[in-house]
Amino acid sequence: MNRDSSSGPGRRTVAKAALLGTAAVLAGPAAVARADRPLVLRLPAPTGPHPVGLRTFALTDPSRTDPWKPEPGEPAFGARRVMISVLYPARTVRGFPRAPQLTPAEAGVFTGLAPLVHPGLPAAGVDWGATLTHGHVGAPPLPGRRPVLLYSPGGGDSRTLGTTLAEDLASHGHVVVLVDHPGDASQVELPDRMRVTVLRGEPDAETFRTMVDTRVADLRLVLDRLGSLPLAPVMDRHRTGIYGHSAGGTAAVSALAGDDRIVAGANLEGYLDLDPVEGLARPLIHFRTDGFAGASRLTASWEGVPGRRVRLTGAGHWVFGDHAFLVPRLRAAGLVTAVTRDALIGPARPAAAVSSVRRELRSFFARHLS
């Protein structure tokens, strides 16, 4: 995606090259067979009346040191930095190009990381850099002040894998801020370097605690800086909501409970047993699937937490993001197995689950951010 910065990405490290090599070994024969004709994946268009504009920004928090350790040979990370993409209703998109879901550098890294972050995804046979979003880079915003939504993605995912839901919300009149969490996300292209995930499988308790605390601090940084962004005139920061998936849902509810600037929140299948939130008085909605492997912990962690519950049937944990659209096309092309599809997004067609999430979120935020 376009960066509001003149700096280009740094060279990939030896560690990244090792990851790419490992992932290539994991690629199945179907993926290798299609390497000469890589699949181009497409995302569905948003359903609202407005076209969508997009701008991307780098933010630095000089008060925090990045909590994650660099790979051997990499320079220290220094002050905490995050990337955000802002999607908004546009006045016109004519003459403004559609942004790719991943920049060329991000796509190259994700090609190798995909089967490590989500086992079963192919490490070859897909042109991840060819997928276009429906966000038009630099398009002028539609006049007026609009409610703001912050999004924190699932653990291991980059912000761009939440594009489709964010575009849909923006097309219906919201300003949506996708927040990346470097070190946790699969890859994040900062203005001067590429960050790759430290996660290898499910995080232990200490790592998960660090993830959530860091995400909450990142979200507060974004809230602090919204008023200084070039798009501030179209943001009504008195009508700010938040939603997040998995670890992002955990962080979203924690941020909602601890920051008066957030009016309402949505939890997309995130555990709520890290911090006490039983007395939370702000509007909250919870989504869960019937295919989530952590269902027992999830159920226990939601006890005593207020908010409406929405259950998605025939769905898996990663149906809340763009995987809902990408994985079925990978399956149709023979690049993932039925087992992988079911593990990621569930055995049912994802259209019903996606439609339910879109409809419920639009209704919830319209009611509480009006």
Side-chain angles (χ1 to χ4, degrees), residues 30 41-42 47 65 69 99 113 138 156 163 170 174 185 212 220 267 291 293 307 310-311 329 340 361 366:
L41 299 168
R42 291 179 174 82
T47 63
T65 300
K69 293 182 180 179
L113 289 175
T163 290
H174 292 84
V212 173
R220 288 175 177 159
N267 172 24
V310 178
R311 189 182 182 96
R329 290 170 182 173
T340 294
L361 277 184

Side-chain angles (χ1 to χ4, degrees), residues 99-151:
Q101 187 177 33
L102 298 173
T103 67
E106 289 170 334
V109 174
F110 183 72
T111 297
L113 289 175
L116 302 180
V117 176
H118 294 298
L121 289 184
V126 183
D127 185 351
W128 293 107
T131 302
L132 293 178
T133 72
H134 294 84
H136 295 258
V137 179
L142 192 69
R145 296 177 65 80
R146 303 183 181 279
V148 181
L149 299 175
L150 272 60
Y151 171 68

Side-chain angles (χ1 to χ4, degrees), residues 262-329:
I262 307 173
V263 177
N267 172 24
L268 312 182
E269 206 156 58
Y271 298 129
L272 299 180
D273 52 5
L274 286 188
D275 300 299
V277 293
E278 290 84 353
L280 182 61
R282 296 186 193 119
L284 181 60
I285 187 171
H286 308 269
F287 293 79
R288 63 169 300 177
T289 66
D290 61 1
F292 183 36
S296 58
R297 177 184 172 187
L298 191 77
T299 300
S301 76
W302 287 9
E303 285 294 328
V305 180
R308 182 169 174 240
R309 271 70 164 159
V310 178
R311 189 182 182 96
L312 308 177
T313 60
H317 184 59
W318 298 98
V319 79
F320 295 103
D322 293 343
H323 301 289
F325 306 100
L326 302 178
V327 170
R329 290 170 182 173

Side-chain angles (χ1 to χ4, degrees), residues 326-350:
L326 302 178
V327 170
R329 290 170 182 173
L330 292 171
R331 172 59 185 152
L335 291 170
V336 302
T337 66
V339 171
T340 294
R341 177 203 61 204
D342 294 355
L344 290 174
I345 64 171
R349 292 176 63 86

